[in-house]
Amino acid sequence: MATQTAISNVKQKIIASRSKLQPFETVVKDYIKDLDNTLPENLTTDSLIKMALTAIRLNPKLANCTVESYISALFMCCQLNLQPNVEGQAYIIPFWNSKKINGQWEKRLEAQFIIGYKGYVDLFYRHQSAVSIDMQPVYKNDVFSYQYGST
């Protein structure tokens, strides 16, 4: 129930902030504080704020993304317990997206959460049945074969 209340508070703040011109970092900090109860046990609000701001510093175009998309991408990181831009676990990347708003098509820059291959490996090893995983690069003109399932 606390999660639903926190998400409602964030939605209300997003609607209110659309009419105000606030620095992106301030808005992100405000939303994250509201969602403190939804964080995994090993992640504090302060560490999430640092993670969010570091991602923006590494890719300044993220500050031009819609707040909704950026917060959503951050919380995908939290739900999967993957850190963006850390050892290839996950990435938050800006993409242009067209949406129909009030009958008009608008192009908007939106942040998208993308899992890196090391994130998939991490998620694999979290499963109680995981034993091992093997990955090798495949280059152009390589001949290779694979088999689904265990060997």
Side-chain angles (χ1 to χ4, degrees):
M1 189 64 169
T3 302
Q4 291 300 327
T5 305
I7 291 171
S8 294
N9 289 342
V10 168
K11 286 180 181 178
Q12 290 172 357
K13 281 191 174 189
I14 287 171
I15 292 167
S17 70
R18 285 181 182 156
S19 61
K20 302 175 190 173
L21 291 176
Q22 294 180 323
F24 192 78
E25 291 182 8
T26 305
V27 174
V28 169
K29 285 179 184 178
D30 287 345
Y31 296 144
I32 290 172
K33 287 177 185 173
D34 279 343
L35 295 170
D36 187 34
N37 296 333
T38 65
L39 297 177
E41 290 179 12
N42 65 331
L43 190 61
T44 65
T45 305
D46 289 338
S47 62
L48 181 59
I49 289 171
K50 288 176 187 173
M51 183 187 338
L53 299 180
T54 299
I56 292 170
R57 281 189 212 100
L58 292 173
N59 190 345
K61 286 185 180 181
L62 288 172
N64 297 326
C65 292
T66 62
V67 176
E68 301 95 340
S69 67
Y70 188 68
I71 296 298
S72 176
L74 276 175
F75 281 93
M76 285 298 297
C77 290
C78 292
Q79 286 176 340
L80 295 174
N81 203 4
L82 297 173
Q83 293 188 30
N85 306 316
V86 175
E87 297 181 359
Q89 289 184 358
Y91 303 93
I92 299 176
I93 301 176
F95 286 97
W96 284 103
N97 192 8
S98 293
K99 289 199 178 197
K100 199 169 193 176
I101 301 172
N102 297 326
Q104 299 283 49
W105 285 97
E106 292 183 20
K107 279 189 102 171
R108 299 165 53 167
L109 195 59
E110 294 186 339
Q112 292 186 8
F113 168 76
I114 297 175
I115 300 176
Y117 84 92
K118 289 185 179 180
Y120 282 114
V121 171
D122 188 34
L123 291 172
F124 171 81
Y125 279 116
R126 290 184 202 169
H127 193 277
Q128 67 267 11
S129 299
V131 177
S132 70
I133 189 169
D134 182 36
M135 295 177 287
Q136 303 295 324
V138 177
Y139 299 102
K140 187 176 180 178
N141 299 324
D142 278 356
V143 177
F144 70 96
S145 64
Y146 64 93
Q147 181 179 344
Y148 288 111
S150 58
T151 55

